[in-house]
Amino acid sequence: MTGAQIQLIEGLNALTAGLILLTAFGMVATRQVQGVMRFFVLQSLFLAASAFLIGFGRSSIHLLALGAITIAAKAIGIPWVLKRTLPGDLYERREINQVINIPSSLLLALLLAIAAEFLVSPLLATTQDPVVHVNLPIGLAGILIGAYSLIARREALPQMVGILAMENGAFFAGIAIASDLPLIAELAIAIDVILIAVVIGVLTRNISQTIGTTEAASMSELREEPQPWD
Amino acid sequence: MGLIVAVFLPLLAALLCWIKPLRRIAWGTTVICLSISFAMAVMTAAQVLRSGRAVAIPGWFEADGLSALVILLVSFVCTLAAIFAGGYMLQESHQKERLWWFYCNYNLLAFALIVVPAFASPNLVWVGVELITLFAILLVGFESTPRALEAAWKYAILTLMGAPISLLGFFVLYWAYRGSGGGTVETWQGLYAMSSTMPPNLLKFSFLLVFVGFGTKVGLAPMHIWLPDAHSQAPTPICAVLSGIKTTVPLYAILRLLSVILASPEARIGNWMVVFGLFSVGIAAFLLLQVRDYKRMFAFSTVEHMGIILVAAGFATHAGAYGAVSQMLNHSITKSLCFYTAGMVLLSVGTRQISEVRGLFRVSPFTGGALLLCSLAIAGAPPFPIFLSEFSILSAGLRSGHNVAVAILAVLIVVAFVAILRQVNGMLFGEPESTMPVKRVPLSCRTAVLLAAIPVVVLGVYIPGPLHSLLELAAQQLGGH
């Protein structure tokens, strides 16, 4: 491969990294449940694109397979599973009250992205690989922003998408730093991700049937009350 | 060979419970398969004692002293909890026609719990720990009551949040391993051998991520808030498995990684583990004082013991490691007994509130006696095994110069001791209220309690030679000097 080709691949990879960060912001900024889901599918597609690019650049069959698994599992499998297990009206819900309003949320997400860059800087000193320099901080930022949206969201489905988005972040860093991970481990991890979606989907359905709402904030019966000394 | 059977028999049992004509005998299938699995775990432990390791498939399923010990504990607790479940679920469950589904899930959980210590590769350990979480979520929400579902949801969100964080940690670990010349097959053994050449920065970062991610599953403070809810709302046999073993297995993974880091001369994190451990013990000790529900009380005591194990491992000496593994053993056997007893109390009086149970000794001497025994044992009174291991942890800390930590730990242990016995005192003695209904406890529950009480009573006064050497071997793997 010529130097120009390698540079092209690295440039395209940096572009997908930027798009992944943008979709993470998009998930924080969207009120509609359906919209959050769409951003997640988009993010998974960008993750697969990055896996294809790096796999092509390093001529690694593993990463090409991982990209295919990502598309099959996250862009097709998970939305399909959720459509089947969840009642349709869950998707049309809008979240009116979030813990923190959306502009402040976006600001916090931006701060988290900067913090991620700062956190991994000592690790980046150990390598010269430009792909790692792009993917590791963005991947960590994806994890942190996903965790934030998990805490800030009140609806069950967006909370779950938050977990899956965190998973995307971990994989985005993983394809750069652990690109020759044995395929069996990657496959197991991908199956695990689908199982997470199935289990949470079933749980959400049970909750909406039994309790009648999927607003996680309304579930607060269990807590510790101080007991007076007798 | 024994290792493979021990690991995969529960998976076969899950399949058998799922097949339609066999659904009626799901409980029998579960108990038989898990008992055989326990026997195989004993054989594996014997093989490890003879030759140092048991290798079933190289690079995939291997057991050394530490993993043999954890496999032994898991299969022991899972078998007894299955026996206990027989009578308990028949009497207490609202979903009697779906009991086969309960046992199917239960076997899958047992499989995931046994497979984690048997895996030789850290990445597969991550997969196993996530499987444990998933099956546990389904079992916590099994009763489908609003409270059970609320507990399952909190549990799912908090513990699954840990999954991607620890996944990145394992990716970074693999990166460090490959970057310093490791082969494509990453095993715990290979990691030990390479620990001094891997970049300490990467190791520390990876450990931090795994610690936070798996810490949510262990229930270390401040990631413990799901634990009392899940452990009080789940069906009681599941509580015994969750509290006794499910918290121990991710902790096993953390300790494995910790021992790799401690072997690296530049990464000094032992003292941080002592601090985090003490924080958990402290939070738990003070929550124990104000708890109102006796199942939540035993759940908080789990947070306390996980903290104690972490402190012991953080001392980074051989004596500390020995204390940690024996505390792991003693906590598992004692805590599962506690939950069987709590289940019997729930069956006989039908309430979870501590204040509504009075004079249990007079109403039901068997249940009352069991509650007294297990509370003394879990609080750490002599001559029970937890007293011995806590004592050895404290003395290991003094010998390695952690005087302040030992003083704080001793105070917190005493606080927890007083808290537990004060709560149980009211339940056991005093005048029984005439409104308190008393039902008979099923035979299978009594059997499970009697069987579970044997090691709790025996190990306090006598540790058999082979078990002692297994603990020594496990402590060696955990490292320290």
Side-chain angles (χ1 to χ4, degrees), chain B residues 159-247:
Chain B
T159 55
L160 287 179
M161 196 165 113
I165 300 175
S166 48
L167 180 62
L168 184 58
F170 281 113
F171 282 149
V172 172
L173 184 67
Y174 188 74
W175 185 30
Y177 176 73
R178 292 285 286 155
S180 42
T184 45
V185 183
E186 182 197 29
T187 60
W188 290 116
Q189 257 198 324
L191 281 173
Y192 290 130
M194 308 262 306
S195 55
S196 50
T197 54
M198 287 192 277
N201 262 347
L202 292 186
L203 275 183
K204 270 194 271 189
F205 190 66
S206 137
F207 180 76
L208 177 73
L209 292 171
V210 174
F211 181 70
V212 172
F214 279 5
T216 59
K217 293 160 205 286
V218 178
L220 294 169
M223 293 93 85
H224 69 284
I225 41 177
W226 60 269
L227 193 138
D229 295 346
H231 290 201
S232 62
Q233 296 304 317
T236 306
I238 300 306
C239 301
V241 173
L242 288 184
S243 246
I245 276 299
K246 201 240 110 190
T247 45

Side-chain angles (χ1 to χ4, degrees), chain A residues 56-105:
Chain A
F56 190 62
R58 295 183 182 169
S59 34
S60 150
I61 292 286
H62 283 161
L63 285 184
L64 299 181
L66 183 72
I69 295 173
T70 304
I71 292 183
K74 288 184 177 158
I76 301 170
I78 288 175
W80 183 76
V81 163
L82 290 180
K83 265 257 146 52
R84 290 208 41 168
T85 48
L86 294 179
D89 61 313
L90 271 185
Y91 280 93
E92 270 111 62
R93 294 183 75 108
R94 291 186 81 214
E95 268 176 293
I96 306 302
N97 59 0
Q98 282 183 334
V99 182
I100 299 174
N101 68 20
I102 283 177
S104 332
S105 275

Side-chain angles (χ1 to χ4, degrees), chain B residues 261-279:
Chain B
I261 315 275
L262 289 178
S264 159
E266 281 170 72
R268 300 176 174 279
I269 51 170
N271 287 341
W272 282 108
M273 294 301 104
V274 175
V275 171
F276 278 117
L278 284 178
F279 183 61

